[in-house]
Structures are given as structure tokens and as C-alpha cells.
Amino acid sequence: MLISILSWLIGGVLVAAAVVVLGLMLATWRIAARAERLVPACGKFVEFDGNRIHYVEEGEGRPIVFLHGLGAQLHHFRHTLFGHFGAGYRLIALDRPGSGYSVRAGGASGRLPEQAEVVRRFIGELGLERPLIVGHSLGGAIALALAVGHPAAISGIALLAPLTHLEERVRQKFDLLYIPSRLWRRVIAYTVAIPASLKYAEPTMKFIFAPQTVPEDYMIAGGGWLGLRPTHFHATSTDVVAVEEDLGRLERHYGEIAVPAGILFGTEDRVIGIATHGEPMLDKIKGLDFERIDGLGHMPQFAEPERVVAFIQRIAARAFAGVT
């Protein structure tokens, strides 16, 4: 009798758990489908080495390639900066592998050298002649990896609030994304992650944009909805885990960077601070153009687009002066 009751109890718990999991999976599918309706793919695709990269381009002239940060996508540049450049530039923003509408190759690790190699291959596939690389946040670390590992492929780097040094405090701010197990990363991505992300989207965005306010059109025009998809969460978590494997090693090679380089950083960045990730670079990259903006947070391209474009154009003038 006791065994029978226990069997019923265990069976009931398993059924209840299955119902919860199925409910989370259904909620995830609905949220992701809504995200794709609200922010559909808007560019072109190029495929190589198992990657399918989504990108947009605008204008003609010297090429500038934009690399977005953690959990972001190409709208962080297309929506904010492209309209401020004027003539003379070919502006290209891509969804990094796994982010937005880009598909990461099966078995890819997301490590910095691997992502830098993907960008180098992307440059080759589009036939770009030594573009300037603009990198924001984690995209800045990838731009640095390009400058260290593939300097002949680029003309220079312009970094916006870049991630440059390994520190425990940064990982603590993204603990919910730090999932070392590939299996659990995928399970969480397709069950609890997206409904939870939607629930906490407002405080998360406030933290990232602080002390500035979140733009009213961020979720659609800024592409924010695209972060509410399981493939995007999986890629973001993969990036968080991968950074720890390479960033410390990359730091030791900053002194080797010879291409023109610039960094723009806000003094009130609460995601990655200027004291750790900005100012120390002055002693590591020769001839670094360093611009400090008082009161600015982690999203300069949204808060100060004209000033950011002026900064990029200043670095571009130096970088393209050496391109024949």
C-alpha cells in the first residue's frame, strides 16, 4: 500500500514537472515568435565555415565594420549611428555569430580568437580593403583580438566602452548568464531563460543604460526584442563563459598593437568601469586616442551619437591615411 502511494506521488510530481517544462517551452516559443514579428531580419546573409552571418550595409567609400557587445545585435549601430556619418563611408554592421539573426557554426566555442577569425573571414568574404573596426563592450575585446592576431586585415580600431581586462566583478554582474555546461545552457535557454528575461527586462535595461534613461524605441528600433529568443540567450551565455578563457591572455599582447587605435569611455559606466577597462589602456597602446565623457554610461552610441561618430571619424582619418 505504502509503495503504491509513493508511486502515485512520484508519478504526480513527474507529471507536474513535465507540465511546467512544457509550459515554459511554449511561453519561450511565443515570446520568440513575437520578437521575430516585431524585429524581422533586415539585411543580407553570407555563409562560411558553418556560420551564417546577418549584416546590413549603407553608403560607399572607406569600409567601417561595427561589432556589437554582449547580448546585443546590429541595430545598436544601424539605428543610432549610420544616419550621422554622411558620405564617404561604407558602413557595415553585423550580428555576431549566434546573436540577432546570425547562426554560429556547430561546435563553436565563442572564444575571442575564434570570433576574431570569423570577423576576418567576414571581411574577406565581402572583399573589404582593411576596414576600420568599431567595437562596443565585448565587441571591443574582439576588435582588440583582431588587432593582435590579424593586424594586416584591418586599418585600425575605434572602441566604445570596451571590455579590456579580466575581473571577477564583471562576471558577478552576469552570474545568471554564466552557465559552463553546454547541456544546461541549452536546456535553460529553451525553458526558463526567456520568460525570466522578459519579466526582468526593464530593470536589466535600466542598469545597462544608467545613468541615462532607456530610449523609448529601444525594444523595436534598437532591436531589444531580439534578445528574447533562446538562440540569442544561448549565444550570450556562451560568450560570457568564453571571455574568461582568453581575455587575461589577450591583455598581455596590447603593447604589440600597431594599428591606429582609439577608446571612448563614459565616466559613469556601471557595467564595466573606466578605471579598470579604459584608463589602464593609455599605458599599453602606443599613440592611443583616448576620449573621456563625463556623466556618460555604457551606451554612448544611444546617448551621444554625434559625438561618437565624430570620434570614429577621427580614428578613421588616422587609420585610412595609411591605407593605399
Side-chain angles (χ1 to χ4, degrees):
M1 181 69 175
L2 179 59
I3 294 175
S4 177
I5 292 173
L6 287 173
S7 297
W8 277 102
L9 286 173
I10 292 170
V13 168
L14 291 175
V15 169
V19 169
V20 169
V21 169
L22 287 173
L24 289 169
M25 292 175 66
L26 180 59
T28 296
W29 177 82
R30 285 176 173 170
I31 295 168
R34 184 184 180 191
E36 292 177 358
R37 286 196 305 271
L38 291 172
V39 189
C42 60
K44 306 173 186 177
F45 290 89
V46 61
E47 299 185 30
F48 54 86
D49 301 335
N51 299 287
R52 187 169 190 256
I53 304 300
H54 177 236
Y55 69 98
V56 294
E57 61 177 317
E58 182 177 305
E60 297 180 357
R62 291 296 194 184
I64 302 178
V65 173
F66 296 80
L67 305 178
H68 62 76
L70 182 71
Q73 25 64 40
L74 59 80
H75 294 283
H76 278 214
F77 300 114
R78 175 179 180 264
H79 171 58
T80 59
L81 301 182
F82 278 22
H84 294 279
F85 268 91
Y89 301 98
R90 181 182 177 188
L91 308 174
I92 303 155
L94 63 130
D95 288 331
R96 289 190 295 101
S99 300
Y101 283 98
S102 288
V103 178
R104 177 171 275 162
S109 66
R111 294 179 60 175
L112 295 179
E114 177 186 272
Q115 294 207 50
E117 172 62 15
V118 169
V119 177
R120 187 193 70 80
R121 290 279 284 113
F122 175 82
I123 291 170
E125 289 292 323
L126 266 63
L128 306 178
E129 182 184 2
R130 297 189 64 198
L132 175 71
I133 305 297
V134 177
H136 173 240
S137 196
L138 176 58
I142 297 166
L144 286 163
L146 264 170
V148 169
H150 307 285
I154 64 175
S155 66
I157 53 175
L159 312 180
L160 312 175
L163 177 70
T164 63
H165 289 75
L166 190 62
E167 60 168 332
E168 184 69 22
R169 189 174 62 85
V170 170
R171 195 232 279 185
Q172 289 173 351
K173 292 181 181 180
F174 297 97
D175 256 351
L176 296 178
L177 289 167
Y178 189 81
I179 309 170
S181 167
R182 292 192 176 195
L183 174 61
W184 277 110
R185 197 182 305 155
R186 188 164 296 278
V187 170
I188 291 171
Y190 284 86
T191 54
V192 70
I194 303 308
S197 296
L198 180 60
K199 180 178 180 179
Y200 295 104
E202 184 174 349
T204 299
M205 291 299 100
K206 285 183 177 179
F207 165 69
I208 292 172
F209 279 87
Q212 283 73 48
T213 58
V214 182
E216 292 183 2
D217 62 352
Y218 175 71
M219 291 303 291
I220 295 180
W225 269 104
L226 292 178
L228 297 171
R229 298 156 64 236
T231 52
H232 195 103
F233 176 89
H234 185 273
T236 302
S237 177
T238 299
D239 287 346
V240 169
V241 173
V243 161
E244 288 199 334
E245 299 189 55
D246 298 296
L247 191 55
R249 187 180 303 110
L250 181 63
E251 293 174 32
R252 298 195 288 270
H253 297 279
Y254 291 156
E256 302 169 11
I257 294 176
V259 298
I263 290 178
L264 182 148
F265 229 118
T267 61
E268 298 302 316
D269 192 325
R270 301 175 188 178
V271 179
I272 49 178
I274 188 172
T276 300
H277 297 273
E279 292 165 349
M281 298 297 285
L282 283 164
D283 298 324
K284 297 185 178 181
I285 299 180
K286 186 178 179 180
L288 179 70
D289 183 323
F290 192 89
E291 182 169 347
R292 180 187 291 101
I293 302 182
D294 292 336
L296 183 65
H298 189 61
M299 304 296 277
Q301 66 272 49
F302 286 88
E304 295 276 0
E306 292 182 355
R307 191 161 179 178
V308 168
V309 168
F311 162 76
I312 294 170
Q313 290 177 326
R314 188 168 71 242
I315 307 305
R318 291 174 53 204
F320 293 138
V323 178
T324 57

